Amino acid sequence: MQNSSGVTGDDWLIRASPRMARPDAKACPTHRRTAMRPLLVAEPPVLFRPALREEFPFGPLFTALDLWEHDHWPVEQVREELRGTRGPFRGWGAPVHPAHLAWTAHALEQYVAARTREQAAATEAGLPPTAPVKPPWTWRTRRTEAPDPRGARQYEHTLWGRMYASADGSVRDLWLPSMGRAKAGRPDAELAAVAKVMAYGAPTPRRKARAEPPPTATDDTRLPGLVRVFDIGCADGSVVRLLSEGPAEAGRRFADDAAPAFLSAATGTGAQPGESCVDCKAIAGCTDLKRTPRLWGGEPPALVRKRRSVSAWDLRLHAECPAQYHLVRRLHLNDLSTEDRGAQRGRAVDAWLDAQHSERPVRGCREREIPDLATIRARTGLDDASAREAAGMLAEHRLLCPLNGLGADEQVLVQHRVTAYVPELDVVVLSTPDLVHTYRGRWIWRETKTSARPLWERRSLLRTYPQLAIGVLLFHAGALGEDPRHSWVELEHLREGHGEGHGESRLERVDPGRAENVEEARTVIAELAQPLLDDTTYEPRTGRHCHGCQARAWCRPGSAYVTDHPRPEGHDAQTPPRGDVATHD
């Protein structure tokens, strides 16, 4: 295949991880195709930019497990090493946030206990014990002289996770960590890719980046009789066995499920700007990604960082507490705490409206019946009080629905990702409005928020809801619709209805074509974004937000604040931001 614009180098090697077999409707085909070709590099070249904080959540945990499993340290000695670390753990990589180290100590204990339990159960079942395997398994084909239809001469399939094998080689195990609870299932194609490498792969020494593999195939003459895959939840130590089968079944599953998925990923064309842009080697040649220089007038940070994304949720979370932004948004630490009533109700209302607005043909909500409480409870799982509040908000929305009376030829996009690139900052801006639609040549950007409290009149809408400010700037830069004078940014603020469905809900509009609105939006985003882009330490900033922080269990200042400031009864919340959350395994 011909190289994409923006990359250079050799494309004869295709390297596939199981993640590449996972279905992902939001992934960019060009990014996936170039990522699977490790000998391709960006053109113009991008210099290596070390991380200023450890950004891989499992990095310190895997180092700790190496000390226990391969260096035979007692668990308590590893914990002491974690407690005494100030900076990089064991001298490798970037400095680790103190709360990240505390989470690692917790996850280590959960992992060791779960692994000990499973090995005891395996022994009772008559299976041989399995021991840690240090070099990761890889399944590699022989390098051919002539390329195949995809331009490849050699394929390499890799694994990630903690690997184990019995002394006689009859059993191979893979343990995959998850941040919260153990995942009960993974896509068939992903599991099929894992099983193939486990059954037919061989321990392979790690290579430097962009180093060529040996031209020979991996040796699969001694196949295991059984391969097993476990998922472990690092928050609670839960374990789920995802797979247990022999090599023959693994080979069939690969051919049926994984091979077609890999073929699609390795040959995909076209671009889909979004989260993929952050790691894409071909970004310099991408014409689908909208460039928006000086979007808010930000200054490049003093210390050069690798490319990253910024969303309205990022900005709000960092403004509340830099540690929460780093630990929850970037590392995805999860203490399994539940959302408060207001947040649960808000998400239920959002999901309900998304489902209605996604129906085709388009139909305004004014034409729909107001759902009864029993239906709302059944579909959302809300308690009686929250279901009653949700019903009131849905009744309020009927009058404000942007699809009421909308023509059949208008465009309606629900949860549509709008992406822009700020080149001087090397930042990808991600925004996912609840709804965007056209109306007689005009683009309308609608954000819907639910709250038990009225809007605060003394604070501007753009400061209260930075996502509106981002919408104004993206419209002004032409990222959605070429003429901002033919656009609106709207806030639908829903409160529980009273009487005959008439409450205190509001619809507010911001004109992105007015210079004063653009200037205010730039000021709002600059004041939020510059501290985030400059931050290298992510120090905790305590406050009421500590009560709902999913990393608080490992944050000493946050835990102390919650102890000293109990949450008042009847606390409620607005709808939390949606659409900007990146998942992580």
Side-chain angles (χ1 to χ4, degrees):
M1 295 184 68
Q2 184 177 1
N3 285 347
S4 300
S5 176
V7 296
T8 187
D10 295 321
D11 64 356
W12 56 262
L13 174 63
I14 291 183
R15 180 188 296 159
S17 70
R19 186 181 182 89
M20 284 296 180
R22 183 185 305 173
D24 186 353
K26 295 182 179 179
C28 172
T30 294
H31 167 67
R32 286 165 72 94
R33 189 180 71 253
T34 56
M36 292 179 71
R37 291 165 168 83
L39 301 184
L40 292 179
V41 295
E43 178 62 39
V46 176
L47 298 177
F48 174 72
R49 302 169 183 177
L52 302 179
R53 275 283 183 189
E54 176 60 67
E55 296 178 348
F56 180 45
F58 299 118
L61 175 61
F62 275 35
T63 301
L65 288 172
D66 284 345
L67 294 174
W68 176 58
E69 294 182 333
H70 300 301
D71 296 343
H72 309 295
W73 284 29
V75 173
E76 187 51 43
Q77 184 181 354
V78 181
R79 284 180 52 84
E80 282 298 322
E81 188 79 5
L82 287 166
R83 281 194 287 264
T85 293
R86 299 293 183 270
F89 181 45
R90 296 293 294 164
W92 296 99
V96 186
H97 195 281
H100 190 184
L101 289 167
W103 176 88
T104 300
H106 170 84
L108 173 66
E109 288 192 343
Q110 299 293 333
Y111 190 100
V112 169
R115 172 94 178 125
T116 302
R117 289 195 305 269
E118 189 283 323
Q119 283 290 277
T123 299
E124 288 187 10
L127 292 174
T130 56
V133 174
K134 195 164 190 177
W137 289 314
T138 301
W139 173 49
R140 186 179 63 244
T141 65
R142 181 183 61 84
R143 191 182 307 170
T144 61
E145 292 296 327
D148 67 10
R150 291 168 289 284
R153 296 167 51 209
Q154 190 171 27
Y155 290 84
E156 203 172 35
H157 292 264
T158 62
L159 275 185
W160 175 84
R162 306 299 299 183
M163 302 171 200
Y164 307 89
S166 60
D168 61 2
S170 63
V171 178
R172 288 182 175 182
D173 290 343
L174 178 71
W175 283 55
L176 299 171
S178 293
M179 297 303 298
R181 295 183 178 89
K183 290 184 174 67
R186 291 177 183 253
D188 289 342
E190 182 180 358
L191 280 177
V194 168
K196 178 73 172 185
V197 180
M198 291 182 66
Y200 293 89
T204 306
R206 298 184 187 275
R207 303 192 306 270
K208 292 183 178 180
R210 293 191 293 276
E212 295 183 5
T216 55
T218 48
D219 180 12
D220 59 2
T221 56
R222 188 184 180 192
L223 302 181
L226 179 67
V227 295
R228 303 188 303 167
V229 181
F230 299 89
D231 199 297
I232 174 171
C234 290
D236 64 354
S238 56
V239 176
V240 174
R241 191 176 68 187
L242 302 177
L243 182 147
S244 178
E245 63 191 34
E249 185 177 353
R252 286 193 298 269
R253 285 163 56 92
F254 183 87
D256 293 342
D257 298 325
F262 282 137
L263 176 61
S264 176
T267 59
T269 58
Q272 185 170 327
E275 190 73 32
S276 299
C277 299
V278 176
D279 299 315
C280 188
K281 294 184 282 192
I283 191 171
C286 183
T287 57
D288 291 80
L289 176 60
K290 179 69 177 180
R291 267 68 174 172
T292 55
R294 307 294 296 171
L295 185 64
W296 61 79
E299 296 296 326
L303 295 173
V304 178
R305 314 280 287 272
K306 65 179 183 179
R307 188 183 309 132
R308 50 188 163 162
S309 62
V310 167
S311 69
W313 189 28
D314 292 331
L315 299 177
R316 292 184 65 172
L317 212 56
H318 187 273
E320 278 188 348
C321 174
Q324 186 177 12
Y325 161 79
H326 177 67
L327 300 169
V328 176
R329 177 69 173 104
R330 308 309 303 180
L331 299 180
H332 312 289
L333 303 196
N334 183 353
D335 65 358
L336 303 180
S337 58
T338 58
E339 293 179 308
D340 60 34
R341 285 184 60 253
Q344 292 175 4
R345 180 201 60 210
R347 289 195 187 278
V349 171
D350 288 338
W352 194 287
L353 295 180
D354 284 350
Q356 293 188 161
H357 296 161
S358 297
E359 291 181 0
R360 297 295 180 269
V362 171
R363 184 158 62 110
C365 294
R366 186 168 51 202
E367 305 172 18
R368 301 176 185 272
E369 294 284 337
I370 299 176
D372 57 56
L373 292 181
T375 301
I376 292 177
R377 286 197 302 269
R379 284 179 52 181
T380 65
L382 295 175
D383 59 32
D384 287 352
S386 296
R388 191 172 297 107
E389 293 162 357
M393 292 173 177
L394 292 172
E396 291 283 288
H397 170 77
R398 293 176 74 243
L399 306 178
L400 302 176
C401 179
L403 306 187
N404 289 338
L406 199 66
D409 58 343
E410 302 288 3
Q411 295 186 60
V412 176
L413 305 173
V414 178
Q415 292 292 311
H416 175 66
R417 171 61 57 84
V418 183
T419 307
Y421 179 55
V422 185
E424 72 276 8
L425 303 179
D426 201 15
V427 163
V428 178
V429 179
L430 303 174
S431 189
T432 309
D434 294 328
L435 185 73
V436 290
H437 68 92
T438 57
Y439 177 69
R440 297 180 179 178
R442 180 190 300 271
W443 276 101
I444 311 295
W445 176 305
R446 173 70 68 96
E447 296 284 358
T448 302
K449 297 298 167 191
T450 65
S451 179
R453 298 184 293 273
L455 284 170
W456 190 29
E457 302 290 351
R458 297 182 183 180
R459 184 176 173 88
S460 78
L461 285 176
L462 299 187
R463 288 192 176 275
T464 303
Y465 299 101
Q467 57 267 53
L468 302 180
I470 287 181
V472 168
L473 295 182
L474 291 176
F475 266 136
H476 182 74
L480 183 67
E482 294 300 324
D483 190 347
R485 294 172 299 177
H486 293 164
S487 307
W488 285 110
V489 176
E490 298 180 337
L491 171 69
E492 179 181 347
H493 190 266
L494 291 178
R495 299 187 66 207
E496 182 183 358
H498 301 281
E500 295 299 319
H502 300 289
E504 299 179 40
S505 297
R506 299 261 298 272
L507 180 63
E508 301 287 343
R509 286 176 173 165
V510 182
D511 184 354
R514 299 186 62 177
E516 57 267 35
N517 290 337
V518 175
E519 285 306 308
E520 183 185 3
R522 281 180 175 148
T523 299
V524 168
I525 299 304
E527 290 176 355
L528 292 171
Q530 200 63 48
L532 185 155
L533 296 179
D534 290 338
D535 201 349
T536 61
T537 59
Y538 306 110
E539 295 293 330
R541 183 183 299 134
T542 58
R544 289 182 296 177
H545 51 268
C546 292
H547 287 278
C549 178
Q550 290 196 308
R552 190 190 72 229
W554 306 287
C555 176
R556 288 186 180 180
S559 297
Y561 178 89
V562 168
T563 299
D564 295 339
H565 303 81
R567 174 179 281 178
E569 292 294 327
H571 174 79
D572 206 350
Q574 302 179 104
T575 309
R578 328 180 268 148
D580 298 321
V581 184
T583 59
H584 195 286
D585 290 337

